[in-house]
Amino acid sequence: MKKLLIHGGRRLSGEVTIGGAKNSTVALIPASILADTAVKFDSVPGILDVQNLQLILKSMNVTSDFKGGELTIDPTDIVEAELPSTAIKSLRASYYFMGSLLGRFGRATVTFPGGDNIGPRPIDQHIKGFEALGARVREENDTIYIDAPEGLKGARIFLDMVSVGATMNIILAAVKAKGTTILENAAKEPEIIDLATFLNNMGAQVRGAGTDVIRIVGVERLEAHNTHTIIPDRIEAGTYLSMAAAQGDGVLVKNIIPEHMEAFTAKLIEAGVELDVREDSIFVPKTDVLKPISIQTAPFPGFATDLQQPITPLLAKAAGTSTILETIYPARTRHIPELNKLGMSIQVPSEGLIEINQSSQHTGNTVKAAEIRAGAALVIGGLMSDGITVIEDAEHILRGYDRLIHKLTFLNGDIQIIDDDEA
Ligand SMILES: CC(=O)N[C@H]1[C@@H](OP(=O)(O)OP(=O)(O)OC[C@H]2O[C@@H](n3ccc(=O)[nH]c3=O)[C@H](O)[C@@H]2O)O[C@H](CO)[C@@H](O)[C@@H]1O
Ligand SMILES: C=C(OP(=O)(O)O)C(=O)O
């Protein structure tokens, strides 16, 4: 098991460059098996999710090579195989192999995915989509068996709720199906546009990504002719913006698409952080005085649930009580008792409602990262606290934060990683 050890209290300054979006990358890698050629990505984040997806690819005889942010994947000799369940369980997005294997072979057998423990995460809308396209879906012993003996045929699908995963998975299954699929009440996250861009550059016909109606006309072949550059990670960016506002003396966060994070930056500005939003970077000045604010999480373009936790420790500095209503995953509050161990004063009076009171004295302690963004909140909390903070179960954080130690050290943070298995 890995731990992070932070000597807190140091002020942060300098520059940090954001990596490619985890939630794009983890869809693009499964999508690559739909290609009839090798594919190449750049701006790929150095995260555990990528390593585990590479293991899954390898089990199907798909070669991949990841160096210096460039990832090449060659699916031309792909074979159907049993997928390694430990790797499948290590991340959420392994469910995208359901859509991509279905698109490639007309069948898929995939163990239930893992990922963050943030409350119930059903996949009924993914299954509803596959069935609408003509597949049969059976669930047995923690495994989903899907097949389409007659082939997949385009259909009209209306999602019962806005789901990023179901939208992506239905695109993956429909992109080579016969005829036209119309997906309504689709999610509008930038990562969905990124997936559509990658597929369209290979000859797919996916129109309307980024709106709530996506039309997909099935094609027979997909061929990559150029390198796909992954969009910047808006959640990693928001994490560093929050950290810089909490503990920085002036930090420039580079490689940002500001339009992807307006709900978040608007809230920082409302709280009194005088952000300088530039074309593809944001400067966060030293911020001494913060006002309390109210936030409600919502699907894009609303305030992202994945930034609920990273903004929580910052709000402990605001003069008054801030509130966050977590509407997507109401049980996503496992960071709260851990932040309170650092001396914060945060309550959860009812499920999904977080009340953050001002607290001025924060002291290091041993805490546990229950999941990726809870861990990110604890990293920020640890940097804000005097003395040593030890964050256990750090693997959750490393699932999705590109070269975290390197980036924080460069910002003058004092952070180390300890591997108990190697001790
Ligand atoms: C790999 C990835 O991109 N993960 C993101 C993705 O997760 P993920 O794709 O799993 O999240 P969804 O957008 O599907 O979930 C949104 C809501 O719909 C519900 N739901 C979803 C599917 C379904 O079939 N049935 C159902 O009830 C979920 O329980 C949740 O309440 O979007 C979440 C919401 O923005 C983010 O927190 C995750 O970081
Ligand atoms: C919930 C998240 O990830 P995943 O869906 O991969 O578990 C996240 O990135 O905050």
Side-chain angles (χ1 to χ4, degrees):
M1 298 303 278
K2 290 186 170 52
K3 287 179 187 159
L4 294 180
L5 196 139
I6 300 174
H7 285 81
R10 287 161 66 129
R11 304 292 303 178
L12 306 175
S13 59
E15 296 182 356
V16 60
T17 301
I18 298 308
K22 159 185 164 279
N23 287 350
S24 279
T25 307
V26 298
L28 291 166
I29 294 175
S32 68
I33 68 165
L34 287 164
D36 297 288
T37 58
V39 303
K40 192 167 170 191
F41 301 105
D42 67 17
S43 200
V44 179
I47 55 176
L48 286 184
D49 275 9
V50 168
Q51 286 180 23
N52 281 306
L53 287 166
Q54 285 185 277
L55 285 178
I56 299 170
L57 291 177
K58 193 172 173 207
S59 72
M60 295 183 277
N61 199 38
V62 175
T63 55
S64 66
D65 182 44
F66 183 29
K67 260 192 229 99
E70 286 190 349
L71 175 66
T72 307
I73 298 175
D74 188 349
T76 47
D77 292 324
I78 188 169
V79 293
E80 288 182 90
E82 194 178 325
L83 305 183
S85 57
T86 313
I88 295 274
K89 286 276 177 211
S90 72
L91 78 160
R92 185 75 194 155
S94 43
Y95 58 27
Y96 291 134
F97 282 108
M98 295 179 193
S100 63
L101 282 169
L102 195 54
R104 175 97 196 197
F105 293 113
R107 55 182 174 246
T109 301
V110 184
T111 311
F112 248 99
D116 280 342
N117 184 350
I118 51 181
R121 303 185 76 178
I123 56 166
D124 53 297
Q125 298 303 302
H126 305 229
I127 291 171
K128 169 177 152 169
F130 299 146
E131 287 178 337
L133 295 172
R136 300 181 303 195
V137 183
R138 182 167 60 86
E139 194 186 317
E140 210 177 288
N141 297 332
D142 200 34
T143 300
I144 308 272
Y145 299 85
I146 314 171
D147 71 338
E150 319 269 298
L152 295 169
K153 274 204 213 84
R156 191 174 202 115
I157 303 162
F158 191 99
L159 293 180
D160 296 344
M161 80 275 302
V162 176
S163 159
V164 175
T167 301
M168 299 260 214
N169 238 339
I170 292 167
I171 293 175
L172 292 171
V175 81
K176 282 183 156 181
K178 284 207 164 52
T180 302
T181 297
I182 300 174
L183 179 58
E184 292 171 296
N185 199 26
K188 297 183 279 202
E189 269 68 0
E191 293 76 20
I192 293 163
I193 305 178
D194 206 18
L195 174 68
T197 305
F198 168 64
L199 293 168
N200 287 343
N201 282 339
M202 294 198 297
Q205 290 192 35
V206 181
R207 304 286 176 254
T211 77
D212 58 5
V213 182
I214 300 178
R215 285 183 175 73
I216 305 148
V217 179
V219 296
E220 279 190 6
R221 277 185 72 78
L222 294 175
E223 290 178 17
H225 298 290
N226 41 37
T227 301
H228 179 84
T229 301
I230 299 173
I231 60 167
D233 194 313
R234 62 198 165 94
I235 309 300
E236 186 197 10
T239 302
Y240 282 99
L241 292 179
S242 180
M243 183 189 295
Q247 195 60 22
D249 277 347
V251 172
L252 182 65
V253 186
K254 292 163 62 174
N255 193 32
I256 287 186
I257 298 178
E259 293 74 15
H260 287 175
M261 16 197 342
E262 280 170 345
F264 182 78
T265 49
K267 283 294 170 188
L268 286 189
I269 292 166
E270 193 183 319
V273 185
E274 290 179 0
L275 295 179
D276 177 4
V277 180
R278 304 172 187 173
E279 205 172 309
D280 61 359
S281 63
I282 299 181
F283 180 74
V284 188
K286 183 173 191 298
T287 304
D288 291 319
V289 181
L290 281 176
K291 290 180 282 223
I293 53 171
S294 290
I295 294 171
Q296 183 164 335
T297 63
F300 191 84
F303 191 101
T305 165
D306 297 351
L307 283 172
Q308 175 259 106
Q309 292 128 313
I311 204 172
T312 299
L314 170 68
L315 296 179
K317 289 183 58 174
T321 301
S322 297
T323 58
I324 306 182
L325 186 60
E326 173 55 76
T327 67
I328 312 277
Y329 296 110
R332 200 172 193 184
T333 53
R334 296 171 77 197
H335 51 313
I336 305 303
E338 305 303 293
L339 287 172
N340 286 341
K341 287 184 193 162
L342 302 176
M344 297 194 181
S345 167
I346 312 174
Q347 281 82 43
V348 181
S350 56
E351 197 177 59
L353 179 62
I354 302 169
E355 279 180 6
I356 305 139
N357 303 304
Q358 188 175 26
S359 52
S360 47
Q361 189 56 49
H362 306 127
T363 311
N365 204 338
T366 297
V367 289
K368 230 185 227 329
E371 43 97 359
I372 176 174
R373 309 300 169 194
L378 293 172
V379 170
I380 297 173
L383 292 166
M384 291 165 69
S385 299
D386 293 328
I388 296 179
T389 294
V390 176
I391 306 177
E392 296 176 339
D393 292 351
E395 283 83 357
H396 290 297
I397 308 172
L398 303 174
R399 266 192 57 215
Y401 280 91
D402 174 51
R403 295 172 300 140
L404 180 72
I405 309 296
H406 167 83
K407 289 183 182 180
L408 285 176
T409 306
F410 203 68
L411 285 174
N412 192 42
D414 184 340
I415 180 164
Q416 285 163 260
I417 189 154
I418 298 169
D419 198 333
D420 277 352
D421 299 334
E422 286 171 12

